[in-house]
Every structure is written in structure tokens, then in C-alpha cells.
Amino acid sequence: MRKTIIELLEVTPTYYDEIVLHSFVDWCIGFNPTAYSLQQALLSKPIQRYFKDTYETLEEQFIKEIQEYKGLDASAKNEFYATITNQIFKSYPGALIPKYKKSKQPILNQN
């Protein structure tokens, strides 16, 4: 599906990866009030899977709906993609979050 999205949006693979990464980080920021809880959410495999599954569902919706609109330029396709995928920000993985909000200390460099 990644390749299909890249072709539809007429973007580079790197740019596509940036879009998804920024979406993930911004989405995590939205429900994590502390630096520590944000770090925990970003590292959490269950949260990553939840985001990935939800985001892929939205991308499938985009692919299905964009087929109805022929002749759109890249800018219009990108705007439509953003409209569809930004619905991720209405999604909240409540069952996966509460345990991360208890600590207030950020994880320091562990190197």
C-alpha cells in the first residue's frame, strides 16, 4: 500500500515517511501531558501497532475514495490525503495510555 500512496501523492518515499512519522509524533503529543509519558508512548509497541493499524485503515479509505476523482493534481491529492488521514487525531487508544501518565520524569540518555 505504501507504494500506491507514494504514486498517488506523487511524493518521494522519504517525504511519505516524514508525513507518517510527523503524524505519529503529533498524535502521541496530543494525549501525553509529560515528556516521560510521551517518550513511553513513542516507544510502546502496542501504541505503535494501534497507530499503524488505524492509519493504514485511513489510507485504504483514501485509496478507495480517490478513485472517484479523476484528473486531480498532486496538490489536491495531498490535501485530500491529509483530510482523510488527519482523522487519526480523533482516535484515542485509552486502554493503552493510563499507565504511562503516572511518571513525570523523562528518560535520560541511556548511552
Side-chain angles (χ1 to χ4, degrees):
M1 179 168 30
R2 180 178 183 270
K3 185 177 179 184
T4 303
I5 297 289
I6 289 168
E7 290 172 359
L8 283 169
L9 298 180
E10 301 175 36
V11 297
T12 65
T14 302
Y15 186 74
Y16 169 79
D17 291 342
E18 278 185 33
I19 292 170
V20 176
L21 178 61
H22 282 275
S23 294
F24 177 63
V25 172
D26 290 345
W27 176 75
C28 284
I29 288 170
F31 55 81
N32 287 285
T34 67
Y36 181 81
S37 66
L38 175 59
Q39 289 173 332
Q40 291 300 305
L42 292 170
L43 295 172
S44 168
K45 294 295 182 194
I47 291 175
Q48 291 171 9
R49 273 193 300 276
Y50 178 90
F51 177 86
K52 183 177 184 253
D53 292 345
T54 306
Y55 201 84
E56 284 179 353
T57 300
L58 293 170
E59 286 186 325
E60 289 169 4
Q61 178 184 342
F62 166 74
I63 291 170
K64 182 179 176 184
E65 291 185 22
I66 198 73
Q67 303 306 318
E68 299 173 21
Y69 302 99
K70 302 294 181 199
L72 292 178
D73 64 6
S75 176
K77 289 178 192 176
N78 277 274
E79 188 174 326
F80 187 59
Y81 177 80
T83 299
I84 298 292
T85 57
N86 281 344
Q87 293 176 42
I88 191 81
F89 294 102
K90 296 177 184 175
S91 178
Y92 178 76
L96 303 174
I97 303 300
K99 62 184 172 196
Y100 298 122
K101 290 191 175 182
K102 292 178 183 172
S103 257
K104 300 207 183 318
Q105 294 297 318
I107 301 170
L108 302 175
N109 187 353
Q110 297 178 358
N111 292 334

